[in-house]
Amino acid sequence: MNAANFKHALFCAFITLIISYPILGLNLVSAGTSMGLEGASTVTIIGIFMAVAVVFLFQLCRDSAMAKLGQLPRPDFTSNRPPMTEKTRLKIQNIVILTIILGASLWPFIASRGSIDLATLVLIYIMLALGLNVVVGLAGLLDLGYVAFYAVGAYTFALLSQYFGVSFWFALPVGALLAALFGLALGFPVLRLRGDYLAIVTLGFGEIIRILLNNWTSLTGGPNGIGGIPDPTLFGLEFGRRIKEEGNLSFHEFFGIAYDSTHKVIFLYLIALVLAALTFFAVRRLMQMPVGRSWEALREDEIAARSLGLSRTGVKLSAFTIGAFFAGFAGTVFASKQGFISPESFVFLESAIILAIVVLGGMGSQFGVILAAIAVTILPELAREFSEYRMLIFGAAMVLMMVWRPQGLMPMRRIHIELEKQE
Amino acid sequence: MLEVRDLSMRFGGLLAVDRVSLDVQEHEIVSIIGPNGAGKTTVFNCMSGFYRPSGGKILFEDREIQGTPDYKISRLGLVRTFQHVRLFSRMTVVENLLVAQHRHLNTNLFSGLIKTPNYRLREQKSLDRAAYWLNRVGLLDMANRDAGNLAYGQQRRLEIARCMVTEPKLLMLDEPAAGLNPAETRELNQLIISLKEDYHVSVVLIEHDMSLVMEISDRINVINQGRPLASGTPDEIRHNDDVIKAYLGEA
Ligand SMILES: Nc1ncnc2c1ncn2[C@@H]1O[C@H](COP(=O)(O)OP(=O)(O)O)[C@@H](O)[C@H]1O
Ligand SMILES: [Mg+2]
């Protein structure tokens, strides 16, 4: 705790004071036609000064506290393990994943409706994060407007169903492909951009899509959104109490069971599970393919990649397109789950949360990303009482994580490739 | 096979390369030497398509390639290394070699996703080629290390191997011996000669290590302050007065 620290702490405390005092410590009161200022209650004033003191003390010993935090043990279940060959690793991964999927597909039959709903949301976030992981984690392209592709998927389904009465199963590939197309379209103008510039342009792109949806009232209904988005059907069986479309049967009548609104929720959950699994396996395969390697090569060294004949255009566009494709998937499922969508669901904060999931999980690491998606979606629900402080807690958790474990929950581990010995 | 005619490159007011010409025949090692800042790397950057030259022509197998994008030039078989090693550091050594072979594996997305037999066959071929070259440069045991964790000399050799798996016709090496110890330099010597003799690639070499240059070059080009100073066989260069004065003399 040297003089510089002390000065810095004093400065921070001062800033806290001049920011919080006018906002919290002074109240505007209207007296007739004129406005007057009035000091706040003594409790508030004491609160402000306590906050100032806390900031001062924290800043005073920030360095040592952060250093201590950095030294905390970081459990790493993988680092001590001897490296596995590609085959064993894939085998173990498959067993783990298939067990999880099996468990996850049986679980909804014993769980409550609310938790199934939440789990569906988790799966949607897993899809989104796995998709963004391609763009940010593998290709190293910082995309802050990822939510735009999610919106494209969701709105494709909503609009198609509203204007053409299209079903979920038709809209699913269309939404994903359209989102991919938007990914491609975004890719072109940002080909030459990197780092901060890329982040700003993608951020702008995300906002453009949202504002477009918000203002194109005649088509999208603007801020009122679009409702009445149909549920998916199971080979033409509908899950509603009453049939909506001529010629369809309803699920409960077909199987001769009592109507239960949970059926629909479970069905949607299972669809999301299948799609999330599909995303996982597709991305894992891509990572071992030339495309996936070229994404990483471009992230590592663009000049070297080009000198080996990789076209920057092709590589970047494929990353944006494929990443957007999975967001389109997620968007369609989301629209169906909610039954109603509006631009509110696709604000920048969503992009930030998906990005946070990728960073928390460990860039490029699929298991890490899944773990982080679960944590980031479920923890706020568990801490409902603190919902006002959600973003505060979220921010603090992010900062602590970055100090304690900057490489993410489960850093990416490279595949070991067995080479046949040459004689 | 490669012909550079009156190549010039201007950066603002600085004429970094001034009418340099260069000829490379098949199965030949041609060196470019010159003091620091002479414009050697800039010549490479023009040849490999990183810069569009301000003047002059570059012909590769009778095709004008000046101004062609870099990735297309390397697909023609003109591949380079860098003065400061550029590896994909957080990828493993094998992966570095696999990235370089993406063209040999250029099947469509779906044959890769579902692993068609044809895809597997090609994948195996690239792995074999990678194993062969790792063995050749003595890095087979390091195959699954992160490339960034290799020792400096190993990184240099990996960079050369990474070029070789693309099966180039002409290899451009920018100061490959920089930072190597004498033993490593000797190995590198052997390797470069063998590239010419056994794998029939031509090599253009930028190098400061005079003993290396004199020993393995078929011809040498000297440039000084962007301008060609002399060219000829190692013996001619060794006895060229201009060269002795401008370069060897002060070194
Ligand atoms: N991109 C560039 N922009 C401006 N000047 C450059 C650039 N690249 C090289 N130069 C200049 O060109 C001259 C030749 O550089 P270089 O080709 O790297 O020399 P060498 O490789 O022979 O040491 C130097 O004066 C250098 O500063
Ligand atoms: Mg140089």
Side-chain angles (χ1 to χ4, degrees):
Chain A
M1 262 173 260
N2 49 29
N5 262 353
F6 186 78
K7 242 164 94 181
H8 174 74
L10 213 57
F11 177 74
C12 291
F14 180 66
I15 293 287
T16 315
L17 183 66
I18 60 171
I19 289 176
S20 56
Y21 186 74
I23 296 175
L24 301 170
L26 294 172
N27 289 336
L28 278 179
V29 282
S30 55
T33 53
S34 62
M35 291 284 234
L37 270 182
E38 187 180 83
S41 65
T42 355
V43 183
T44 318
I45 303 286
I46 293 174
I48 290 173
F49 277 96
M50 271 166 65
V52 169
V54 168
V55 168
F56 177 75
L57 286 176
F58 172 71
Q59 291 295 342
L60 199 60
C61 37
R62 188 187 63 171
D63 287 350
S64 54
M66 287 297 171
K68 284 233 176 62
L69 183 65
Q71 283 158 6
L72 279 183
R74 301 165 199 205
D76 190 346
F77 313 106
T78 52
S79 69
N80 302 326
R81 205 182 56 200
M84 289 185 280
T85 64
E86 187 182 5
K87 283 206 190 80
T88 14
R89 172 160 158 177
L90 288 185
K91 212 186 278 167
I92 293 179
Q93 248 186 31
N94 283 342
I95 293 171
V96 170
I97 278 287
L98 290 177
T99 318
I100 293 176
I101 292 175
L102 194 71
S105 54
L106 294 178
W107 170 77
F109 297 101
I110 52 165
S112 72
R113 191 193 153 121
S115 45
I116 302 171
D117 228 16
L118 178 61
T120 312
L121 195 67
V122 170
L123 288 167
I124 290 175
Y125 273 101
I126 289 179
M127 274 186 256
L128 285 169
L130 287 176
L132 186 63
N133 195 25
V134 167
V135 185
V136 179
L138 297 177
L141 305 164
L142 186 51
D143 184 352
L144 292 182
Y146 191 64
V147 77
F149 309 120
Y150 184 38
V152 168
Y155 265 87
T156 305
F157 182 27
L159 291 171
L160 282 179
S161 79
Q162 191 176 37
Y163 291 99
F164 303 103
V166 154
S167 78
F168 173 80
W169 294 109
F170 183 78
L172 184 66
V174 175
L177 288 176
L178 210 64
L181 206 66
F182 269 76
L184 193 69
L186 169 66
F188 273 107
V190 302
L191 274 178
R192 292 175 175 282
L193 303 181
R194 247 187 294 181
D196 317 351
Y197 300 99
L198 178 68
I200 290 169
V201 174
T202 52
L203 174 73
F205 180 79
E207 284 300 283
I208 288 171
I209 296 284
R210 187 182 63 81
I211 291 169
L212 196 73
L213 293 173
N214 213 3
N215 292 328
W216 197 348
T217 324
S218 57
L219 182 75
T220 64
N224 295 333
I226 301 176
I229 302 169
D231 306 322
T233 54
L234 176 69
F235 300 111
L237 297 179
E238 286 190 9
F239 282 87
R241 188 186 288 280
R242 260 176 290 278
I243 308 284
K244 285 197 185 118
E245 205 174 315
E246 204 73 22
N248 277 355
L249 286 173
S250 73
F251 179 77
H252 61 283
E253 279 170 5
F254 184 81
F255 285 100
I257 46 177
Y259 170 74
D260 186 346
S261 62
T262 325
H263 290 160
K264 180 197 112 182
V265 182
I266 295 180
F267 184 54
L268 244 167
Y269 166 82
L270 291 177
I271 290 177
L273 183 64
V274 170
L275 289 177
L278 205 73
T279 309
F280 175 84
F281 285 115
V283 173
R284 191 182 68 173
R285 188 73 205 105
L286 284 169
M287 284 165 72
Q288 300 307 311
M289 279 168 51
V291 232
R293 293 205 192 95
S294 64
W295 292 335
E296 289 196 77
L298 200 75
R299 174 195 72 199
E300 291 297 299
D301 194 323
E302 184 178 319
I303 289 182
R306 276 159 47 195
S307 84
L308 293 166
L310 288 172
S311 123
R312 175 175 63 182
T313 317
V315 178
K316 280 195 181 175
L317 289 184
S318 65
F320 273 121
T321 310
I322 289 176
F325 181 85
F326 293 117
F329 260 176
T332 317
V333 178
F334 177 72
S336 192
K337 169 182 176 293
Q338 301 295 90
F340 163 83
I341 54 166
S342 73
E344 288 262 299
S345 309
F346 307 106
V347 290
F348 168 67
L349 188 62
E350 287 296 309
S351 288
I353 288 178
I354 305 166
L355 183 66
I357 292 175
V358 174
V359 175
L360 276 179
M363 301 255 224
S365 149
Q366 288 200 288
F367 275 104
V369 163
I370 292 175
L371 213 65
I374 295 172
V376 168
T377 330
I378 291 186
L379 290 183
E381 296 295 324
L382 294 181
R384 261 277 150 81
E385 313 84 272
F386 305 113
S387 60
E388 283 170 55
Y389 303 105
R390 218 183 98 174
M391 289 327 284
L392 196 69
I393 296 172
F394 188 55
M398 248 348 237
V399 170
L400 292 181
M401 268 300 293
M402 287 302 103
V403 175
W404 176 57
R405 212 182 164 102
Q407 70 283 63
L409 284 172
M410 271 179 99
M412 181 179 179
R413 267 171 68 83
R414 305 216 67 89
I415 286 265
H416 269 240
I417 299 177
E418 278 297 280
L419 293 174
E420 280 161 35
K421 292 272 177 213
Q422 302 277 319
E423 59 292 339
Chain B
M1 69 194 302
L2 180 85
E3 225 184 297
V4 177
R5 285 282 150 266
D6 295 326
L7 181 76
S8 299
M9 183 74 215
R10 183 181 284 283
F11 296 113
L14 175 79
L15 195 56
V17 175
D18 187 6
R19 280 166 288 145
V20 168
S21 296
L22 193 72
D23 250 306
V24 186
Q25 308 297 326
E26 310 241 336
H27 312 159
E28 203 180 29
I29 299 178
V30 175
S31 294
I32 305 178
I33 61 172
N36 273 331
K40 307 180 295 292
T41 300
T42 307
V43 170
F44 260 31
N45 285 339
C46 291
M47 279 160 51
S48 57
F50 281 66
Y51 296 155
R52 172 187 285 277
S54 345
K57 279 193 180 147
I58 304 170
L59 294 132
F60 182 62
E61 296 184 321
D62 302 322
R63 256 170 86 171
E64 282 192 27
I65 57 163
Q66 70 273 16
T68 309
D70 43 16
Y71 68 95
K72 286 194 181 151
I73 288 188
S74 82
R75 290 177 185 185
L76 294 175
L78 201 70
V79 183
R80 69 174 293 184
T81 66
F82 297 87
Q83 184 167 353
H84 305 286
V85 187
R86 284 180 175 274
L87 292 173
F88 307 121
S89 334
R90 283 183 294 169
M91 298 174 80
T92 62
V93 170
V94 206
E95 284 174 326
N96 267 268
L97 299 191
L98 292 178
V99 167
Q101 296 182 71
H102 63 102
R103 270 184 316 124
H104 301 290
L105 250 170
N106 210 356
T107 48
N108 64 43
L109 212 57
F110 292 99
S111 63
L113 277 175
I114 58 173
K115 283 200 179 180
T116 59
N118 183 30
Y119 176 84
R120 280 169 194 270
L121 195 73
R122 289 177 190 224
E123 194 178 35
Q124 192 53 49
K125 269 194 187 152
S126 355
L127 284 174
D128 290 345
R129 201 178 288 119
Y132 175 83
W133 275 102
L134 285 182
N135 191 37
R136 185 67 191 76
V137 299
L139 290 174
L140 198 52
D141 295 335
M142 309 281 172
N144 283 303
R145 296 268 185 91
D146 278 7
N149 292 343
L150 295 185
Y152 188 72
Q154 297 174 325
Q155 296 197 5
R156 284 260 176 220
R157 277 179 280 149
L158 177 59
E159 209 186 13
I160 294 177
R162 194 176 63 178
C163 290
M164 289 311 294
V165 293
T166 70
E167 305 189 327
K169 297 170 186 157
L170 184 91
L171 188 63
M172 300 188 276
L173 303 175
D174 196 346
E175 303 199 16
L180 299 190
N181 63 38
E184 287 173 325
T185 307
R186 231 170 298 122
E187 266 176 46
L188 180 75
N189 232 344
Q190 302 292 313
L191 180 64
I192 297 177
I193 291 175
S194 142
L195 294 182
K196 178 181 88 159
E197 303 281 324
D198 307 330
Y199 303 97
H200 310 298
V201 290
S202 307
V203 179
V204 185
L205 179 72
I206 293 179
E207 193 42 76
H208 277 300
D209 187 322
M210 288 319 283
S211 63
L212 180 81
V213 170
M214 293 295 170
E215 192 179 327
I216 67 176
S217 308
D218 295 307
R219 277 178 310 114
I220 297 176
N221 289 271
V222 189
I223 42 182
N224 192 17
Q225 295 180 350
R227 274 185 293 277
L229 190 70
S231 68
T233 62
D235 265 339
E236 288 166 6
I237 296 299
R238 215 187 311 255
H239 300 113
N240 184 307
D241 291 337
D242 289 342
V243 178
I244 293 169
K245 213 163 43 200
Y247 183 45
L248 298 179
E250 77 190 40

